[in-house]
Each structure stands twice: as structure tokens, then as C-alpha cells.
């Protein structure tokens, strides 16, 4: 899952990015409202963490502009303000959730995961594909009765495939959602992680469609 953080408090933004990256997300960070709007419009993000008090363009306007353009990316608003009218204004402009600073990092991660599950059309954090079960909240994977230990990146690649099980997903789509904007390495890195997943889950779980991408099959 690829996230965009738009936050002008650089220490907070960097701290959030490090934590969310450790959770297995690909994270991009910008510190200006105009740049945030540009990046959110141009990038393939699964969720935007958006501060309200920003230079260039405030979070309300960024959110409203995205919604006016038909962009339905989930938006979690952050603000140092406190009060029901501020929250109402944020939600009225199209934000999906609202968190007042200072906040617990654990709560932020829980809100992020809840919004991502909601976007995927499921209230449950557990994704089941045949004998494969992924708990996206606990970050655990089982194949039948066996627990499979995955790295954060392996989990993120598998999550992309599992959320669209049975569908063909291109290498470019996986790169967009699992690696951040700054990644300029070899796109064949996807093949490395798919091979690692096959070693752990079995070769038949992930099917390669030559020249097109990958498909997660139910066993």
C-alpha cells in the first residue's frame, strides 16, 4: 500500500514516514499543500494523510480540490485545532476521517488500516484466498494451519495480490503501490519478491502471465 503524507512539521512527517514504512507501507512525504495536491493528483496512492494548516494551500482546499476532480482516495486529516466545527469542516470537504494532534501513533495506524479496509469493501482485516489467510491488522499470514513468516516488503507485495485475487496485476501496479516515489532502481525487484513468496507459499500460489503480470490463485 502506498501512502502520501502532507505535513509541514518536518520532524513529525519524517517520524510518521519511518513508522509507517516499518509497518510495510510505501510512503512519500511533502511539506506544502500545493505540492501535496500535485502529488496526490499524479500518483497512485491508496491513502493520503493530510494536515490542515499547510503553506501554499491548506488541507481543506487540497481535500476539496481532490474531491472536485473526482479523486476518491481515502483522506485522513490531521490538525492541531480542536473543536467540532473544525472536524465538521474537514469532513464536509470530503475527508474520510479526522485526527487531532497530539495523537497516538498506534491510533493513527489503526485509522489508516480501517480506511484501507473500508476502501477495499471489507470491514474485516482478514483476507482469505483459498487456504491462504492474511490478517492485515496483525500482519500475519497462514497457509492452512501453518504460519508463514514474511518480511514487510513480502507482506506488502502479497497484500496487493491478495486484495485482487484472481485478477491480473502488472509489475508496474505493484511497484506503484509497494515502493515509494523516490524508488528509481530496477523494476525487476518485483520478480525478486514474487520468487521469495513462491519459495515460502509454494510455486502454484502466484501465477505469472508472461509479459502481463501476476495473478494470485486460490489453492
Amino acid at each position: 500500500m502506498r501512502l502520501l503524507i502532507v505535513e509541514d512539521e518536518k520532524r513529525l512527517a519524517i517520524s510518521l514516514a519511518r513508522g509507517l514504512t516499518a509497518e510495510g507501507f510505501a510512503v512519500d512525504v511533502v511539506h506544502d499543500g500545493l505540492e501535496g495536491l500535485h502529488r496526490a493528483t499524479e500518483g497512485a496512492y491508496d491513502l493520503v494523510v493530510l494536515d490542515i494548516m499547510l503553506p501554499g494551500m491548506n488541507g481543506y482546499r487540497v481535500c476539496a480540490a481532490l474531491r472536485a476532480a473526482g479523486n476518491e482516495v481515502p483522506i485522513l486529516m490531521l490538525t492541531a485545532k480542536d473543536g467540532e466545527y473544525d472536524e465538521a469542516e474537514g469532513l464536509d470537504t470530503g475527508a474520510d476521517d479526522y485526527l487531532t494532534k497530539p495523537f497516538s501513533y498506534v491510533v493513527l495506524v489503526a485509522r489508516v488500516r480501517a480506511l484501507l479496509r473500508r476502501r477495499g469493501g471489507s470491514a474485516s482485516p482478514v483476507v482469505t484466498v483459498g487456504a491462504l489467510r492474511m490478517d492485515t491488522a496483525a500482519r500475519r499470514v497462514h497457509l492452512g494451519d501453518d504460519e508463514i513468516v514474511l518480511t514487510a516488503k513480502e507482506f506488502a507485495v502479497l497484500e496487493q495480490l491478495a486484495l485482487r485475487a484472481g485478477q491480473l496485476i502488472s509489475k508496474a501496479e505493484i511497484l506503484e503501490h509497494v515502493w515509494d516515489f523516490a524508488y528509481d532502481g530496477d523494476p525487476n525487484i518485483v520478480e525478486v519478491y514474487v520468487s521469495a513468496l513462491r519459495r515460502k507459499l509454494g510455486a502454484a500460489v502466484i501465477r505469472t502471465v508472461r509479459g502481463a503480470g501476476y495473478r494470485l490463485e486460490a489453492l
Side-chain angles (χ1 to χ4, degrees):
M1 295 289 185
R2 189 172 169 195
L3 311 183
L4 174 65
I5 296 175
V6 189
E7 168 62 67
D8 66 329
E9 293 182 40
K10 293 185 179 180
R11 290 181 62 184
L12 173 60
I14 291 171
S15 176
L16 291 178
R18 286 175 177 167
L20 290 166
T21 298
E23 296 281 342
F25 295 105
V27 183
D28 295 327
V29 178
V30 296
H31 307 294
D32 176 270
L34 288 170
E35 177 63 19
L37 176 60
H38 172 73
R39 192 70 69 83
T41 301
E42 298 296 322
Y45 293 103
D46 297 288
L47 183 139
V48 176
V49 178
L50 177 64
D51 189 31
I52 289 178
M53 304 302 290
L54 292 166
M57 175 183 284
N58 69 41
Y60 296 133
R61 292 175 60 198
V62 173
C63 182
L66 287 171
R67 296 304 188 235
N71 190 323
E72 295 301 320
V73 63
I75 294 174
L76 174 61
M77 275 194 163
L78 304 180
T79 183
K81 293 183 176 182
D82 189 10
E84 60 180 334
Y85 294 109
D86 297 317
E87 179 174 357
E89 185 174 354
L91 297 176
D92 283 346
T93 58
D96 297 274
D97 202 354
Y98 182 100
L99 205 53
T100 301
K101 300 174 186 176
F103 52 80
S104 161
Y105 174 74
V106 173
V107 171
L108 179 133
V109 172
R111 298 281 187 91
V112 165
R113 295 200 185 285
L115 287 174
L116 291 172
R117 289 198 301 273
R118 191 186 308 168
R119 186 188 194 194
S122 173
S124 171
V126 179
V127 179
T128 302
V129 184
L132 178 71
R133 298 191 318 281
M134 293 189 73
D135 187 328
T136 60
R139 314 297 285 175
R140 299 177 70 179
V141 175
H142 286 82
L143 188 61
D145 294 327
D146 299 322
E147 182 168 1
I148 310 299
V149 179
L150 301 180
T151 67
K153 268 290 189 281
E154 288 169 352
F155 190 98
V157 172
L158 182 61
E159 185 177 23
Q160 286 301 307
L161 294 167
L163 290 172
R164 295 169 56 188
Q167 300 179 35
L168 185 63
I169 304 178
S170 70
K171 185 186 299 182
E173 287 179 284
I174 295 174
L175 274 172
E176 283 183 344
H177 289 276
V178 178
W179 277 266
D180 60 34
F181 182 80
Y183 181 76
D184 60 358
D186 189 344
N188 289 326
I189 189 68
V190 175
E191 296 176 11
V192 174
Y193 282 92
V194 168
S195 295
L197 288 170
R198 284 178 172 143
R199 287 195 297 272
K200 294 182 177 183
L201 300 173
V205 173
I206 303 174
R207 179 184 174 190
T208 298
V209 179
R210 190 171 298 278
Y214 305 97
R215 180 186 295 120
L216 185 67
E217 306 280 5
L219 296 180

